[in-house]
Amino acid sequence: MRILKIQTLRGPNYWSIRRHKLIVMRLDLEELAEKPSNEISGFYEGLVEALPSLESHLCSPGCHGGFLMRVREGTMMGHIIEHVALELQELAGMPAGFGRTRETGTPGVYQVVFEYQEEQAGRYAARAAVRLCQSIVNKGYYLRQELEQDIEDLSELQRDAALGPSTDAIVQEAEARGMPWMSLGTRFLIQLGYGVHQKRIQATMTAQTGILGVELACDKEGTKRILADAGVPVPRGTVINYFDELETAIADVGGYPIVIKPLDGNHGRGITIDIRNWEEAEAAYDAAREVSRSIIVERYYTGRDHRVLVVDGKVVAVAERIPAHVVGDGASTIEELIKQTNRDPNRGEGHDNVLTRIELDRTSYQLLERQGYTVDTVLPKDEICYLRATANLSTGGIAVDRTDDIHPENVWLAQRVAKVIGLDIAGIDIVTEDITRPLREVDGVIVEVNAAPGFRMHVSPSRGIPRNVAGAVLDMLFPPEKPSRIPILAVTGTNGKTTTTRLLAHIFKQTGQVIGYTTTDGTYIGDYLVEPGDNTGPQSAQLILQDPTVEVAVLESARGGILRSGLAFDASNVGVVLNVAADHLGIGDIDTIDQMAHLKSVVAEAVLPNGYAVLNADDVRVAAMRDRVKSQVAFFTMSPDNELVKQHTQQGGLAAVYENGYLSILKGDWTLRIEQAVNVPLTMAGKAPFMIANALAASLAAFVQGVSIEQIRAGLTTFKASVNQTPGRMNLFNLGRYHALIDYAHNPHSYEALGGFIRNWTGERIGVVGGPGDRRDEDFITLGKLSAGIFDRIIIKEDDDTRGRSRGSAAELILKGIMQVKPDCPYESILDETTAINKGLDSASDGSLVVILPESVTRAISLIEARRPVGDDIQQP
Ligand code: ATP
Ligand code: ATP
Ligand code: MG
Ligand code: MG
């Protein structure tokens, strides 16, 4: 077997609209192409031995053991690899359920598709699955050690990719609300929502978190000062910079017991609490000094440690934090008990997991000593031995939810404190004997206020109810009336995407909003080009969706990008499908027109339920997409008699139609006329039917998004496909006596569409035609045939670069096509493109149209400009 390609999909795609995270592996089965699993001796047994858990895969039989039944009876290796890749991820703690395996047009080559949770792990699983199966085929087994290594590697890839627990909680909540999010790839920044409506977070800080509040909270002494001035109970204490000052400071705070901590520390580092004598104070001073220059000396308050989380001015959760400890069983030593506790799979390193492993430090031994223990003491049954003085989760503490217990006065106080410090999300640390009573009554204090407080103690407390604190954050960032999305309008089709995208963006500009759009020519925001180039893939779309100024996104969504990585967005508001024709077939395992239609229908199917799929009713394959979509449908048609559209509008549906020379919207029984085609420059004075179709599609897409008829009209009448903006796309030149047109029509469908325009020309129609040498023979013959039906006179030319063909052979094939249709057609064969174009222009009769399909658009344009065109409009009698 040989892996030919592994692709990672990240959005709605050819295989699934709903499952965005898919690996697509192109796999050549080679020697196994003709061998189903039942014909490989020992394969079934080897597979069951290596991965007994495959028993749980139902597969097509739909029952437990269903998949293994298929393996025993005989199934192709691609299919088995799909299941193995899923199972490997499952074993590594990343369950994924979706898979598909399909034959391609190339014998023995399969596409194996399966879901992933983490990209890198998914790609790894693809390779590992092939390795595993190949080993069983060759040797009858896959070594246990190798499997264990695979699973370990997969878990590591998962850990590497994992978001922090607080970020993860917020992202999960966003997903549950159907809100889009993306990682910005630096500084752990996460974007929630799109475009102008986006909000960024970084762990539990938001774009709204004030820098002054954060800096104040990070300054423990400053915080205490501000809080004390506001009448909030805080520990009595002082700050010192030199060891000399320690003794006086202790006296100042009222003597032992005291707490010594670094002025700017966190996660409990360098803190010693409950210091009872000078010796301990000295050691504590040194420990704090390692973290910070200045040192806080405070009175020690006895009590339990609480974290109160305030979001947007409201207390949303309260946790009591209990320092790391073990509970005796009457038989084990303290050391053994610690080991047992740390074996809990919920305990990890640092903040990775729900809890952190217990490690002993300097204060731990002091604590043990005070309790009269050593690590070798056998702890009596049910007796608690504390191992750390502070309750931070990061030093092995646990959290107990106390949200329902906090006294209302303490709620009021915490909420006020968050405001006083100036934080939208604040973690307030309270030490009190009893959180159910007001702080004042029990001599409780607020020891500090944390910016960017961790969420894990609230989201997954060791005891008590988990609290959806991420929900409160999202409620704050996106209040009910505030959207998180911007309208996304995606445009696809074989021909006319760029034209329609540009026109649609232009129409939307009439509303005064900032439009971001991507096309084959470049990425634009407002009136400016951001990046030139073919930008119809997901990266350019991301650029638009990440831009904080963009209010509406119009995205040309070409076949290549959808195939390579899926759509760049989870769902759109409008999906326009213009047409589906034979072009690009045979690339990326899309071999038939119907497969192409299926691929393009992704754009229609990924529309939000309350959005619209804008479909071409005159194209059967596009019209048929109405049955696949979950959204509403609006049709456009060139014919007022289109039966489908009639039915649709009779049932109250929306449509755009070309009727009596007008571009109109049909809404139920009403006809809303937008504009006469002759007044829409893009339609070449109404002579280019395919441009009318593009204009109908754009108008309809804008209309369903609430753009007014007046604004659509203003857009249609002021839009021009200029030579500068879209060179090679229907560039018309008025040369006074005659006209010339340069177009890049590159497939029979667009060629025919172009013919629709040329046939409407009343003067002589002269074609200067040819095509790239790498086209198939029959494509040249078709080109000839179509040309014969369009032009009165034809000049056949060839490209400078014949792409491997012998000079003159393409011209011969074109001629063959012409002769099949119109044997008496006047023609000339001039192989050199420049000579051919000049000949065509020189010989143009009055009122004629010279149509040039050039190899080099720029050269053709300069040849025409040398003849000083008087304009780009049509002046035909
Ligand atoms: P974190 O960043 O995890 O909040 P930190 O390093 O910022 O920790 P503090 O919050 O100041 O440190 O203190 C850590 C813990 O030590 C407190 O939550 C509290 O349990 C205890 N503590 C601190 N100061 C006092 C005090 N004056 N009296 C009693 N306990 C205290
Ligand atoms: P590409 O795949 O190269 O990006 P595109 O789909 O973006 O192409 P445009 O650039 O808008 O298409 O138009 C390319 C050519 O296709 C035009 O010059 C014209 O010849 C033809 N064309 C445009 N619209 C249509 C249409 N609706 N139907 C058929 N042909 C069209
Ligand atoms: Mg703290
Ligand atoms: Mg394009």
Side-chain angles (χ1 to χ4, degrees):
M1 281 185 290
R2 196 155 54 94
I3 298 174
L4 302 175
K5 189 158 56 174
I6 298 180
Q7 284 180 316
T8 315
L9 307 185
R10 303 183 187 92
N13 60 73
Y14 185 70
W15 304 94
S16 171
I17 300 300
R18 205 160 52 82
R19 303 180 195 256
H20 300 173
K21 296 159 91 172
L22 299 180
I23 298 291
V24 180
M25 170 164 56
R26 199 163 191 267
L27 184 67
D28 187 347
L29 294 187
E30 294 185 318
E31 72 284 359
L32 298 173
E34 306 289 326
K35 267 197 170 177
S37 51
N38 58 328
E39 291 174 22
I40 307 168
S41 76
F43 184 83
Y44 172 80
E45 293 75 15
L47 184 67
V48 173
E49 194 183 326
L51 283 177
S53 48
L54 279 173
E55 179 72 25
S56 66
H57 290 218
L58 315 178
C59 198
S60 46
C63 56
H64 197 75
F67 168 68
L68 287 179
M69 209 148 85
R70 298 265 328 258
V71 177
R72 196 165 45 206
E73 285 163 3
T75 183
M76 294 312 291
M77 196 52 70
H79 177 214
I80 299 173
I81 285 169
E82 166 205 322
H83 279 268
V84 170
L86 287 170
E87 186 57 24
L88 289 174
Q89 295 183 87
E90 168 100 42
L91 290 173
M94 290 173 279
F98 177 86
R100 288 272 178 285
T101 298
R102 293 279 176 274
E103 264 178 286
T104 67
T106 316
V109 174
Y110 283 73
Q111 284 190 302
V112 179
V113 181
F114 61 87
E115 217 174 350
Y116 65 84
Q117 279 192 14
E118 298 297 347
E119 254 178 69
Q120 293 307 325
R123 299 175 75 93
Y124 184 105
R127 287 186 298 268
V130 172
R131 200 160 58 226
L132 183 146
C133 290
Q134 187 76 61
S135 164
I136 299 176
V137 169
N138 295 352
K139 304 183 280 195
Y141 61 84
Y142 189 60
L143 280 181
R144 181 124 299 270
Q145 300 93 286
E146 285 190 71
L147 182 68
E148 276 163 12
Q149 186 64 51
D150 287 339
I151 291 168
E152 204 179 302
D153 290 350
L154 282 167
S155 309
E156 195 177 316
L157 289 169
Q158 182 190 25
R159 277 197 299 277
D160 290 350
L163 300 167
S166 304
T167 312
D168 192 54
I170 297 175
V171 161
Q172 300 273 351
E173 178 65 15
E175 278 182 8
R177 294 180 179 204
M179 191 180 285
W181 68 274
M182 50 189 129
S183 168
L184 296 183
T186 184
R187 304 184 62 86
F188 308 103
L189 284 168
I190 301 282
Q191 174 181 330
L192 302 167
Y194 288 143
V196 71
H197 297 310
Q198 67 178 280
K199 290 283 164 60
R200 285 184 192 155
I201 58 160
Q202 185 189 59
T204 65
M205 284 201 282
T206 75
Q208 299 169 14
T209 305
I211 182 82
L212 293 187
V214 175
E215 291 198 336
L216 180 55
C218 289
D219 169 4
K220 288 188 189 195
E221 200 47 29
T223 298
K224 260 166 62 180
R225 174 67 192 267
I226 296 279
L227 291 183
D229 288 353
V232 176
V234 292
R236 198 164 134 202
T238 171
V239 177
I240 59 170
N241 287 307
Y242 302 100
F243 183 70
D244 299 358
E245 303 168 291
L246 185 56
E247 219 177 326
T248 336
I250 294 171
D252 280 354
V253 301
Y256 301 107
I258 59 159
V259 171
I260 290 184
K261 52 183 164 183
L263 180 60
D264 33 40
N266 55 27
H267 302 323
R269 272 182 309 141
I271 297 189
T272 312
I273 66 172
D274 195 11
I275 298 165
R276 299 182 189 175
N277 54 50
W278 177 246
E279 203 188 334
E280 285 172 13
E282 264 182 330
Y285 180 89
D286 292 340
R289 203 49 204 261
E290 275 176 31
V291 177
S292 161
R293 221 186 85 78
S294 302
I295 277 144
I296 297 179
V297 179
E298 257 173 24
R299 216 191 101 199
Y300 172 66
Y301 293 78
T302 51
R304 310 189 204 184
D305 192 80
H306 301 84
R307 168 60 66 80
V308 179
L309 181 66
V310 179
V311 176
D312 196 21
K314 289 182 287 292
V315 167
V316 296
V318 179
E320 179 180 340
R321 300 187 289 176
I322 301 171
H325 62 273
V326 288
V327 184
D329 61 6
S332 317
T333 65
I334 291 174
E335 183 160 15
E336 283 162 357
L337 290 170
I338 294 174
K339 279 206 184 117
Q340 278 170 29
T341 308
N342 283 345
R343 246 176 256 140
D344 178 350
N346 281 326
R347 286 193 189 257
E349 302 295 333
H351 290 267
D352 287 352
N353 221 324
V354 180
L355 293 171
T356 304
R357 287 197 194 100
I358 301 174
E359 274 166 37
L360 301 185
D361 74 344
R362 180 181 56 88
T363 54
S364 310
Y365 293 100
Q366 214 168 52
L367 263 177
L368 284 174
E369 204 181 303
R370 275 192 201 162
Q371 296 168 84
Y373 299 143
T374 71
V375 285
D376 300 321
T377 308
V378 172
L379 202 59
K381 191 157 169 50
D382 296 332
E383 189 152 325
I384 296 177
C385 169
Y386 287 97
L387 298 161
R388 296 293 283 242
T390 61
N392 306 69
L393 292 198
S394 52
T395 56
I398 63 164
V400 179
D401 177 68
R402 302 275 264 140
T403 311
D404 295 330
D405 305 332
I406 186 171
H407 189 274
E409 184 175 325
N410 295 343
V411 169
W412 166 80
L413 186 67
Q415 295 181 166
R416 189 168 154 250
V417 163
K419 280 256 158 61
V420 168
I421 301 301
L423 287 172
D424 59 344
I425 300 179
I428 299 172
D429 289 345
I430 296 181
V431 172
T432 174
E433 295 286 358
D434 189 355
I435 196 75
T436 68
R437 294 172 58 196
L439 287 196
R440 292 241 172 256
E441 277 177 24
V442 288
D443 197 18
V445 284
I446 292 187
V447 284
E448 78 155 342
V449 178
N450 295 277
F455 281 1
R456 70 177 168 151
M457 68 186 95
H458 308 297
V459 176
S460 26
S462 305
R463 265 182 273 145
I465 303 178
R467 302 287 170 171
N468 182 9
V469 295
V473 173
L474 290 183
D475 288 345
M476 169 177 72
L477 295 177
F478 301 96
E481 72 282 7
K482 275 262 181 115
S484 61
R485 293 169 182 274
I486 55 169
I488 297 177
L489 298 94
V491 178
T492 197
T494 300
N495 292 304
K497 296 181 291 299
T498 300
T499 311
T500 307
T501 301
R502 280 182 171 281
L503 174 59
L504 188 48
H506 181 76
I507 292 173
F508 259 98
K509 280 184 197 166
Q510 313 305 313
T511 65
Q513 298 180 88
V514 176
I515 318 301
Y517 58 104
T518 59
T519 70
T520 349
D521 315 306
T523 302
Y524 299 80
I525 294 176
D527 294 329
Y528 299 101
L529 172 69
V530 179
E531 213 173 40
D534 184 347
N535 293 345
T536 53
Q539 263 156 18
S540 345
Q542 290 277 347
L543 186 154
I544 295 296
L545 297 175
Q546 284 177 5
D547 190 277
T549 66
V550 170
E551 296 176 278
V552 178
V554 185
L555 308 172
E556 176 173 349
S557 305
R559 159 208 70 86
I562 307 176
L563 209 50
R564 255 193 331 275
S565 45
L567 293 176
F569 44 85
D570 60 340
S572 71
N573 301 75
V574 178
V576 180
V577 187
L578 295 169
N579 43 55
V580 179
D583 194 17
H584 291 114
L585 293 182
I587 305 175
D589 292 315
I590 300 296
D591 300 318
T592 67
I593 277 215
D594 288 317
Q595 286 172 335
M596 185 61 87
H598 182 113
L599 179 63
K600 294 200 187 288
S601 90
V602 171
V603 169
E605 291 177 62
V607 176
L608 292 162
N610 61 355
Y612 275 91
V614 169
L615 304 177
N616 184 350
D618 302 331
D619 182 316
V620 279
R621 290 188 186 81
V622 177
M625 291 175 193
R626 68 184 183 279
D627 298 328
R628 301 174 64 101
V629 305
K630 288 170 286 298
S631 63
Q632 309 176 72
V633 170
F635 289 114
F636 63 94
T637 175
M638 290 297 286
S639 151
D641 301 325
N642 184 302
E643 276 306 320
L644 177 64
V645 173
K646 275 190 184 165
Q647 272 176 28
H648 181 70
T649 50
Q650 270 160 18
Q651 289 161 11
L654 274 177
V657 63
Y658 181 52
E659 48 88 23
N660 303 307
Y662 281 89
L663 283 79
S664 301
I665 300 279
L666 303 183
K667 191 179 180 190
D669 294 335
W670 301 100
T671 299
L672 313 175
R673 283 193 163 163
I674 308 171
E675 186 53 88
Q676 248 180 315
V678 285
N679 297 328
V680 178
L682 181 71
T683 69
M684 305 267 159
K687 288 183 196 301
F690 66 96
M691 285 302 196
I692 298 177
N694 293 342
L696 286 174
S699 302
L700 187 55
F703 186 78
V704 300
Q705 272 296 300
V707 181
S708 72
I709 295 285
E710 290 70 27
Q711 286 165 331
I712 297 174
R713 180 180 305 133
L716 289 180
T717 50
T718 54
F719 181 78
K720 279 198 173 180
S722 80
V723 179
N724 300 334
Q725 279 184 339
T726 47
R729 303 287 154 96
M730 290 300 281
N731 303 145
L732 187 76
F733 302 85
N734 181 350
L735 287 148
R737 206 168 50 74
Y738 66 98
H739 289 71
L741 178 84
I742 298 181
D743 192 81
Y744 215 43
H746 39 320
N747 50 47
H749 177 255
S750 60
Y751 204 68
E752 212 142 5
L754 189 61
F757 164 63
I758 299 164
R759 282 193 210 96
N760 282 336
W761 195 269
T762 44
E764 191 192 9
R765 295 163 285 228
I766 305 153
V768 182
V769 307
D774 55 1
R775 294 289 163 96
R776 298 170 305 178
D777 286 4
E778 57 259 46
D779 295 331
F780 286 104
I781 296 175
T782 309
L783 179 68
K785 283 189 189 167
L786 291 171
S787 299
I790 297 171
F791 298 110
D792 301 319
R793 179 150 66 83
I794 299 171
I795 298 173
I796 308 167
K797 51 95 193 171
E798 285 192 346
D799 288 1
D800 295 354
D801 177 0
T802 60
R803 307 199 190 191
R805 270 183 191 272
S806 63
R807 175 70 57 210
S809 82
E812 250 166 59
L813 291 164
I814 295 173
L815 182 58
K816 192 169 157 193
I818 297 174
M819 289 301 134
Q820 281 178 17
V821 174
K822 203 160 79 177
D824 58 347
C825 180
Y827 78 92
E828 262 177 283
S829 199
I830 304 175
L831 298 188
D832 176 57
E833 185 167 293
T834 305
T835 319
I837 293 173
N838 277 327
K839 182 68 197 285
L841 298 172
D842 288 340
S843 67
S845 53
D846 285 1
S848 66
L849 175 68
V850 182
V851 177
I852 302 161
L853 306 181
E855 174 188 22
S856 161
V857 171
T858 38
R859 182 173 61 194
I861 292 174
S862 62
L863 287 173
I864 293 174
E865 301 229 294
R867 291 166 191 255
R868 305 195 173 278
V870 296
D872 57 1
D873 49 340
I874 294 187
Q875 279 167 0
Q876 250 206 312

